[in-house]
Each structure stands twice: as C-alpha cells, then as structure tokens.
C-alpha cells in the first residue's frame, strides 16, 4: 500500500507536522489536497486531516490506515498548499491555521454506511431543498384519497393539499405539520413524488441594485489605458483624491479582466463592506459576484466556495480573508483603501494582505491595484522607488473643488470662555446647516461617555481589575466598561482610596457628544454610529439608509463615519478632537491622523454644493494637521518618510514583535527573557553582530495586563527579515520553547505594540 502524509486538523503546537498513514486500495487513487478521516492517538479517535504528500513507503513502522475521504470537501490545489507553507514560515502560525484560511473551517463531518463501509461527508455542505407533488398516477384527488385508509389522517391531509406543481417541504410542513416519514409512505405507494434542488445560500441574492457605467473623464481614462498597456503582471497604486471616481476605475479594470477570461478579487476594509460598494458592484455585474466576509454562516461560506470553484462566480468581494478565495485563474486583486490597518490580521495567521497579494501575483501572474486618497507611506515609497506604477486622479469628478479645511485651536476657545467641546465656528456651521437643510458629519475617535473617571482629592483613577487601563463610563448602561476585556462595573460614589466624594469624569466619548448635541440642537435629528450603537444586526445599514434619505441632520461617530461614504447633501464635516489619534505611542500615529482627517474631510461637498471642514485640536501646528489642511499628501509624505528613515521604521525596516502573556507576572517575564537569550545565542552563532544589533531588550508591555494576563515583549527592527524568520522557525521547534508556560505571539509589522 502507498503511504500518505497527513496533517491532523487540530490547532496544537505539539503536532505541527505530518503523520504517515497507509492508503487502503479502495481509496486509490489518493490525491494530495484531499481531506481524509483517520484514527489518531492511543484511543484511535476518528478525526480529519489533510493529505499533503504521497509516497511509496514510510520509515515508520506499524502505520494505521486512512478510513475514508470526505466527499465534496473542496480539494486544496498545489498552489494553495504552497501558500500554506509560505504563510506558516512567514507569519509563524501552525500549518493547519494556514490551511483554515483556504477552506471553510467548520466541517460538521458525518458518517454513513455504504456497501458495508464507512463513508464521510459534510453535513453543512450543499443545502438540498426537497419538493413534493402529486405523482400524476390518478386524474382527480378523490382517486388519490381512495388509496389511503380513512384513519391515516396525516397522509390524507398531505394529499388534500398537494397539487401537480412542486411544493417545498418547508411550505408543506407549515400547512400540515407532516413528517418525512409520512411523506415516504406516500412516495412508496407511488402517490406523490419527491424532487431535490440545491439551494445556494447567498444573503444578497434577492436584492436589486443598479449602477450604470459612467463615461470616464480624462484622468480616469488615462489610468484605465495605462493599466491596459501592461501585459506582464504588475502592481499599480491608484492615488486619487476623495471623490475622484476611483471606484469607477476599479469596475472598469474588473470588466477588462473578465473579458480576458480571468477572475478578480476586490478587497475592502471590513466596515465599508456592507455599505455602498456592494450596491455598486452588484449593480454593475449582477450575479457574477461572490461575497465573503466573517459574518457569513458556515453554510453560506461553503456555498460561496463552491460557486467560486465551479466558476459561477468570477468576482469575489470581501474583507481581507477573501484574498484566500479559491480562484485558479486569478487576473486581478484590488485593495481599496489600501492604507487601512484592517488589511493586517491581528489573529493567527497574522498576515499582511499586501504581502499575500504579492505572493499570489508570483503564483498566478495577476495584476494588483492598490487604491487610496491617502496611500500608506510604505506603498507610496514603493511607487516612487520600487516596482509599483503610480496612477493619479488629482481632481474630483466634475471638478467640484475639495472642501476648505479650517483648523481651530481649542486652547484659544478656552481662553475665550468657551468650555464646551464644540468650537464657536463649528457651532455656527451646524446651526447654518440645520437652517439650510444640509447634513453634517461629526467625527470623534472615542466611544463611550467619559473616558477617564478619577478622584480629584487623591488622584485615584478607576482602572479595570483585569487590565491595567482606565475604564470608560457608558451612560446608556450607567456603568463603566473596559474596552479591552469588556469588564463592567458601577462607578464608585466614594473614592475607595481616600473616601472623598470628589469623583470626577473627564474626556468625552461619542455618547457624551450625542447628549450634548441633543441639548444644544433640540431641533436636530441625530444619528450615532460606533461599535456600541451598531451591535444589532442590520443597524449599520439602517443608519446609512436613514442618513442617505435625508431623514437625519447630523451623523456623529467614530472611525466608522470616515470611510467611503458618498452622501451628496453633506456640506459640513467636524473633527471634534484631532489629537486623539496623534498622541498614541506608535510610529504610525501621524500617518493615521493625516489619513483620518483627509478621509473624513472627503465626505463633505460631494454633491453640487461646496463643502466645509472644521478640525478642532490642541496641536494646530503639528505637520499631520497643517498638511492635511492643505491637502498636501506629497508634503506630508516627504516629512514622514524622512522621519521614518531617521528612526529606521518601515519601509526602511521590518518590525518583528515577540510577545508573551501569562496570568503569572513572574513567569511571563522569565519566559520572555529565556526566549530572548536563546534567540540571541542562535543569531550570534548563525548570523553575527549586525543582526544582533537589531534586537531590543525585553520589557513589560505599555499595557501591562489585559484580561488578567500579564504581558512582556521585545522587538527586532530588522533589514534581514528572511534570516530572522528562518531562525525564529527553528527556535519554535525546540522542545524547551514549545514547553514554555506563557503564550507566545510573533507578529511581523504589527498594527500596534500596546
Ligand atoms: P472615490 O472612490 O474616489 O472617493 P467615487 O468612485 O465614489 O470616488 O466617485 C464619486 C462620485 O462620482 C460617485 O457618485 C460616482 O458615481 C461619480 N462618478 C465617478 N466617475 C464618474 C464619471 N466618469 N462621470 C460621472 N460621475 C462619475
Ligand atoms: Zn481619592
Ligand atoms: Zn479590562
């Protein structure tokens, strides 16, 4: 018998390698990439695994046999398996975690007997709907009923209600409360027939969308022509100001790619997925679209997968995980709003979608299009000096001018006696907009009510008991909540430390802002959009719909309101406190602030009326603020890139984050130091001084504890990512490291290191 190398479907560091199994003859021809059921462990429990190799013999003795192949399970192709190895090596995940990117992960494997043998299938694959009708054996219902005993009431009931047109089981059940057993008896008697139809579960299929093509303007046409002139697989950066018509250009690229017989992946940051883009892309391409995101049910996911595999779907729209869609003939990957940090995964595999796309480009020879009004500094650097082609849309469609941005120094507001969070200019703007019936968007980067509760007498601050971080007061539940672990508790009326009753609330979140707005502008219709108010399913779409239809005057919210919206009647945008993103201890803080201001400003003046933007801040002279005021992306880029170069931050290096968490404060530091020392020695032996200098000493994390777990970390700022990755991979296989009690996190270029 031949031998298969099988990875066990378990997320477990101790078995992150393949096991050998015999392939019984009845399962030949076995293929690499198939999903199989195998006996595993001392108890020989049946679990599933993935065949990643086939060979004539094994060096191991007493192999067990594979039990069966799981029917209908999407087989992994060679390129997908190659990608799994690459993900494992590059992002330090387990092989099976990489595999789970490429296949729906909840299998619900079921067993059935066939010719005396166990066979396996997935219970949630292919949802079959059953339909029933009268068999046509008799001409009228009386003759049918005559075949049934008078006391078989259920059967008589079914026959009375069936026609010669098929009725679904669901419908029949509602009318008669019948069971499958009742129906089977009738089928056996030849009185009724059953038919099956496969139901493709797609939550969007019943919606009607329209988005006719626009005639391209000059800049759009140039961008389109340049794209078309490239035969070889290339990467493009489409830098277009907000409202310049980037979406129209993407849709043309897609159209062109489909014409050439290839398929497309269109990636967007998660949050805008449910908003206008679905309407536009479905309006243009109808049922040719598959939609993949984390809120799909397992069944829906499998159906989308099958539709892609059998080519009913040629375009996949989705958040970052859709980059793993099983398209064998990929021609184009689009990353819309490419600068967004949601393109980096914060869970294993901690991949960067940009890098995955590049890997897919190597495999399929597809084009990549990155698009943004505020490209990430790294992408723009690539476009200037690397292998990325820059395409520019410098003007808004129909040449509507960019809205004017005013900077308000909030210190001066205070001197002038204005103690509210709304400056006089913003106040007047809101009043004017209310009078004119135009809409306003207000952006504040903090949710909750008060972000800091403390004792004025002794300075005691109310921190979360599980995390070393202050709690936020939420007015709707009249409690404080921790934004890291979700812990809630009542606000103390007396300070637990000094018994004073001088408990003070400071810092405003979106909830407080909403209440203030309701007080100042009682006539205004106000909507709030943040993770607290968007919990309910459908809340997000409802809010957008209300605002779109002009049923609200003010939309206020967190980052959710900054992205992608195209509302024609919004003429005023206010940034309540620009500093909140500026003061985060992260090398990307300035970039993030520049992007947020520019993006949210881009929501104003998209119709025929001119827009206006008011940015409130305590740091009016910061370059991220002054340069966003001037819409000077290149000026900002120049400043930022020289800072990055000086500090050796990306794109001039890669940052490797190595963190440990543990409920035991002593153990976590010990494990972190131990790992550091082992790594240090390995690097010294294998690479030498230059790489050693790139390692920074371990220390407690800026947030020392999250969810009861203490945290330590160190970073490596490196120009030798490949060398480091291979050393880290080697280290992870060492027994001593596997046996460390603390949880190890390796994150390449993480979104933050807090
Ligand atoms: P961006 O994504 O760059 O912010 P959009 O793609 O949302 O811009 O385009 C802004 C608006 O202009 C949309 O309402 C879109 O339908 C419209 N539009 C885009 N291209 C054209 C065109 N060539 N002619 C007319 N209208 C256009
Ligand atoms: Zn006190
Ligand atoms: Zn907490």
């Amino acid at each position: 018998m031949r031998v298969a190398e099988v990875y066990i479907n378990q997320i477990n560091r101790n078995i992150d390698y393949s096991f050998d199994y015999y392939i019984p003859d009845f399962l030949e021809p076995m293929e690499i990439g198939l999903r199989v059921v195998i006996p595993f462990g001392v108890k020989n429990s049946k679990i599933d695994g993935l065949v990643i190799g086939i060979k004539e013999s094994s060096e191991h003795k007493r192999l067990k046999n594979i039990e069966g192949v799981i029917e209908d399970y999407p087989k992994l192709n060679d390129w997908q398996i190659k990608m799994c190895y690459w993900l494992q090596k590059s992002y330090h995940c387990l092989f099976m975690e990489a595999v789970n990117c490429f296949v729906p992960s909840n299998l619900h494997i079921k067993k059935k007997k066939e010719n005396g043998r166990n066979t396996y299938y997935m219970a949630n694959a292919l949802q079959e709907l059953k339909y029933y009708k009268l068999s046509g054996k008799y001409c009228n219902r009386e003759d049918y009923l005559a075949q049934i005993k008078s006391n078989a009431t259920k059967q008589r009931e079914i026959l009375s209600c069936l026609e010669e047109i098929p009725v679904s089981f669901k419908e029949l059940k509602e009318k008669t409360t019948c069971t499958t057993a009742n129906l089977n008896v009738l089928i056996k008697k030849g009185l009724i027939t059953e038919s099956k139809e496969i139901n493709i579960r797609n939550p969007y299929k019943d919606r009607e969308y329209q988005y006719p093509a626009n005639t391209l303007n000059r800049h759009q046409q140039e961008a389109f022509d340049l794209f078309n002139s490239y035969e070889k697989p290339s990467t493009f950066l489409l830098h277009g100001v907000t409202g310049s018509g980037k979406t129209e250009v993407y849709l043309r690229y897609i159209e062109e790619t489909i014409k050439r017989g290839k398929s497309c992946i269109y990636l967007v940051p998660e949050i805008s997925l449910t908003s206008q883009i679905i309407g536009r892309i479905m309006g243009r391409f109808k049922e040719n679209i598959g939609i993949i995101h984390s809120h799909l049910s397992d069944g829906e996911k499998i159906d989308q997968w099958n539709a892609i595999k059998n080519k009913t779907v040629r375009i996949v729209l989705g958040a970052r995980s859709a980059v793993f869609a099983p398209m064998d003939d990929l021609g184009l990957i689009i990353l819309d709003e490419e600068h967004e940090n949601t393109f980096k995964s914060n869970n294993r595999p901690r991949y960067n979608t940009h890098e995955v796309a590049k890997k897919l480009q190597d495999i399929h020879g597809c084009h990549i299009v990155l698009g943004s009004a505020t490209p990430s500094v790294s992408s723009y650097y690539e476009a200037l000096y690397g292998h990325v082609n820059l395409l520019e849309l410098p003007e808004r469609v129909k040449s509507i001018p960019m809205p004017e941005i005013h900077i308000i120094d909030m210190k001066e507001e205070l001197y002038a006696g204005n103690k509210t969070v709304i400056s006089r200019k913003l106040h007047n703007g809101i009043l004017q907009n209310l009078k004119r019936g135009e809409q306003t968007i207000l952006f504040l980067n903090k949710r909750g009510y008060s972000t800091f509760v403390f004792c004025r007498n002794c300075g005691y601050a109310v921190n979360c008991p599980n995390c070393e971080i202050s709690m936020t007061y939420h007015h709707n539940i009249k409690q404080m909540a921790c934004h890291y672990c979700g812990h809630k508790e009542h606000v103390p009326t007396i300070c637990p430390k000094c018994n004073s009753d001088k408990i003070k609330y400071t810092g405003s979140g979106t909830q407080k802002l909403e209440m203030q707005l309701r007080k100042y502008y009682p006539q205004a219709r106000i909507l709030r959009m943040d993770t607290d108010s968007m919990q309910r399913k459908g809340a997000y779409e409802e809010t957008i719909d209300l605002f779109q239809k002009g049923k609200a005057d003010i939309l206020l919210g967190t980052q959710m309101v900054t992205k992608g919206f195209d509302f024609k009647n919004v003429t005023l945008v206010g940034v309540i406190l620009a500093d909140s993103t500026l003061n985060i201890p992260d090398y990307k803080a300035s970039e993030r602030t520049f992007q947020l201001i520019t993006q949210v400003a881009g929501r104003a003046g998209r119709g025929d009326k001119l827009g206006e933007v008011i940015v409130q801040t305590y740091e009016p002279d910061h370059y991220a603020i002054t340069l966003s005021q001037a819409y000077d992306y290149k000026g900002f880029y120049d400043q930022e890139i020289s800072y990055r170069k000086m500090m050796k931050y990306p794109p001039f290096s890669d940052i490797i984050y190595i963190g440990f968490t543990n409920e035991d404060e002593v153990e976590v530091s010990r494990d972190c130091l131990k790992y550091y020392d082992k790594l240090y020695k390995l690097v010294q032996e294998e690479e030498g001084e230059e790489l050693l200098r790139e390692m920074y000493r371990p220390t407690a994390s800026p947030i020392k504890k999250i969810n009861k777990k203490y945290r330590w970390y160190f970073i490596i700022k490196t120009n030798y990512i490949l060398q480091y990755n291979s050393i880290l991979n080697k280290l992870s296989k060492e027994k001593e490291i596997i046996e460390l009690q603390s949880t190890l996190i390796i994150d390449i270029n993480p979104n933050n290191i807090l």
Side-chain angles (χ1 to χ4, degrees), residues 463-471 481-487 705-708:
N463 274 359
C464 171
N466 304 327
C467 315
E468 298 229 342
I469 193 104
S470 61
M471 308 244 283
C482 170
H483 287 180
Y484 284 84
C485 73
H487 174 81
K705 190 168 88 171
I706 291 181
N707 225 345
K708 295 189 179 139

Side-chain angles (χ1 to χ4, degrees), residues 215-325:
T215 316
L216 298 182
N217 66 26
R218 182 168 64 85
H219 293 296
Q220 287 173 322
Q221 188 66 46
E222 276 169 18
F224 182 64
D225 292 342
L226 195 79
F227 174 86
N228 274 340
S229 68
Y230 278 79
E231 291 282 327
K232 284 208 198 100
S234 309
T235 302
F236 304 86
L237 174 62
L238 182 63
H239 177 208
V241 298
T242 52
S244 58
K246 293 186 288 295
T247 315
E248 184 64 47
V249 177
Y250 301 145
L251 296 184
R252 295 300 179 92
Y253 290 165
I254 292 174
E255 197 182 358
E256 188 62 30
T257 307
I258 302 284
K259 254 190 227 157
R260 295 182 195 175
K262 301 236 165 158
S263 57
C264 306
I265 297 179
Y266 186 153
L267 302 172
V268 291
E270 176 82 30
I271 193 63
S272 48
L273 191 58
T274 38
S275 72
Q276 294 167 326
I277 186 59
I278 291 183
R280 288 189 183 178
I281 196 163
M282 296 196 77
R284 186 71 57 88
F285 297 105
K286 309 297 172 210
E287 53 288 321
N288 217 343
I289 323 284
I291 296 178
I292 295 184
H293 58 79
S294 50
H295 304 303
L296 291 184
S297 69
D298 293 324
E300 284 168 351
K301 241 178 241 172
I302 290 169
D303 290 353
Q304 293 286 336
W305 238 258
N306 285 323
I308 295 166
K309 279 230 144 185
N310 65 30
K311 300 196 175 181
T312 355
V313 155
R314 305 293 288 149
I315 306 163
V316 164
L317 174 68
R320 63 166 182 260
S321 64
V323 76
F324 298 111

Side-chain angles (χ1 to χ4, degrees), residues 463-714:
N463 274 359
C464 171
N466 304 327
C467 315
E468 298 229 342
I469 193 104
S470 61
M471 308 244 283
T472 299
Y473 178 65
H474 284 244
H475 192 74
N476 54 341
I477 51 170
K478 304 253 180 326
Q479 281 190 327
M480 291 183 299
C482 170
H483 287 180
Y484 284 84
C485 73
H487 174 81
K488 291 188 181 71
E489 60 181 69
H490 286 284
V491 190
T493 43
I494 303 240
C495 171
K497 213 170 138 194
C498 75
N499 289 327
S500 141
D501 62 356
K502 296 212 163 40
I503 302 292
K504 190 167 161 48
Y505 299 56
T506 61
S508 306
T510 41
Q511 285 184 10
K512 188 167 176 182
L513 181 65
E514 182 188 353
M515 294 195 44
Q516 286 166 328
L517 293 172
R518 288 193 190 284
K519 204 169 87 194
Y520 303 152
Y521 315 108
Q523 73 276 36
R525 295 162 301 169
I526 298 173
L527 294 171
R528 192 182 95 223
M529 185 183 269
D530 54 32
T531 37
D532 298 310
S533 65
M534 297 294 114
Q535 292 288 325
R536 198 169 42 80
K537 205 176 172 187
Y540 183 74
E541 280 159 314
E542 261 168 48
T543 307
I544 289 177
D545 195 53
L546 283 176
F547 200 61
Q548 174 97 54
K549 291 190 174 131
K551 293 190 178 148
D553 306 298
I554 302 177
L555 173 68
L556 78 113
T558 52
Q559 286 169 44
M560 289 184 182
V561 303
T562 65
K563 288 166 194 171
F565 296 147
D566 188 24
F567 301 123
K568 302 276 187 276
N569 196 31
V570 173
T571 51
L572 175 64
V573 162
V575 178
I576 302 298
L577 189 64
D579 315 33
S580 55
T581 47
L582 212 48
N583 296 324
I584 296 166
D586 178 358
Y587 74 91
K588 278 192 247 171
S590 303
E591 178 175 4
R592 196 87 195 104
T593 306
F594 181 88
Q595 285 163 351
L596 280 172
I597 295 176
T598 313
Q599 293 287 342
V600 72
R603 303 311 116 215
R606 293 174 77 92
D608 301 324
K609 284 165 270 184
L610 218 57
E612 186 178 33
V613 183
I614 294 168
V615 177
Q616 308 186 148
T617 175
Y618 289 95
E619 288 184 64
D621 300 323
H622 193 286
Y623 69 96
I625 291 181
T626 54
L627 292 168
S628 63
Q629 178 182 26
Y631 291 103
D632 187 359
Y633 176 80
K634 282 175 189 135
F636 173 77
Y637 166 83
D638 286 340
Q639 284 250 3
E640 187 65 16
I641 202 82
S642 59
Y643 160 75
R644 300 275 180 97
K645 191 165 194 173
M646 184 175 75
M647 300 299 291
K648 204 185 151 192
Y649 281 129
F652 300 100
S653 68
D654 288 297
I655 293 178
I656 304 174
Y657 168 92
I658 299 181
F660 288 85
T661 66
N662 193 327
E663 292 197 8
D664 187 318
E665 195 173 4
V666 180
E667 210 163 46
V668 75
S669 60
R670 201 181 52 211
D671 286 351
C672 187
L673 289 166
K674 191 167 174 185
Y675 188 96
Y676 178 87
D677 288 339
K678 292 217 108 202
L679 180 64
Y680 195 91
K681 277 204 199 88
L682 256 178
V683 173
Q684 199 163 32
E685 281 163 23
E686 302 204 353
E687 300 286 344
E689 278 308 305
E690 196 175 350
L691 268 75
L692 282 182
R693 275 201 300 275
E694 298 184 325
M695 289 175 66
Y696 288 69
R697 292 285 310 164
T699 160
S701 297
I703 301 173
K704 267 171 62 181
K705 190 168 88 171
I706 291 181
N707 225 345
K708 295 189 179 139
K709 286 187 174 155
Y710 289 90
R711 312 164 70 237
W712 269 64
Y713 81 111
F714 65 95

Side-chain angles (χ1 to χ4, degrees), residues 443-460:
F443 163 55
L444 175 62
N445 202 22
K446 287 210 164 77
R447 61 194 180 91
Y449 192 85
S450 291
T451 47
F452 200 58
V453 181
F454 71 106
C455 165
R456 246 190 330 195
N457 190 41
C458 74
Y460 168 85

